[in-house]
Amino acid sequence: MSKTILTDVDGFTPVIDEIVEDLGLMPAVIFGRVWRYCQMKDGDCSASLERIGGEIGVSRKTVQRYIKALCEGLFEGPSADDALRAELQQRAKAE
């Protein structure tokens, strides 16, 4: 098996070890998807909950539930990324 070079793949979703340890694999995957969208030109995640869920094989409600868990469990203290926190909170409230 050859090594995968990230420049040879069309994007990737990061899975942050600390989020996996604290909240579990699914919240880490959802965080990674939202983070990817935040890396786009406008810096916002405009993807719907349905789209994010469809990309990783879960329902809109599952995405919403774990985004809420991320907002509650991830962003504590002054070092939190305010822009990403706001984006996740907005996604958690989406209907």
Side-chain angles (χ1 to χ4, degrees), residues 36-76:
R36 278 190 68 188
Y37 281 108
C38 288
Q39 303 313 300
M40 298 176 83
K41 186 177 179 181
D42 62 1
D44 292 326
C45 176
S46 59
S48 68
L49 298 175
E50 290 85 0
R51 179 173 183 146
I52 294 168
E55 292 170 342
I56 60 174
V58 298
S59 71
R60 176 192 69 78
K61 291 294 275 182
T62 297
V63 173
Q64 187 174 28
R65 180 174 70 246
Y66 284 121
I67 287 177
K68 184 176 180 184
L70 284 162
C71 289
E72 292 171 352
L74 184 63
F75 296 107
E76 298 175 359

Side-chain angles (χ1 to χ4, degrees), residues 1 4 18 30-31 43 45 50 54 64 74 77 81 90:
M1 175 186 265
T4 299
E18 188 173 345
I30 291 170
F31 176 90
C45 176
E50 290 85 0
Q64 187 174 28
L74 184 63
D81 182 329
Q90 179 183 348

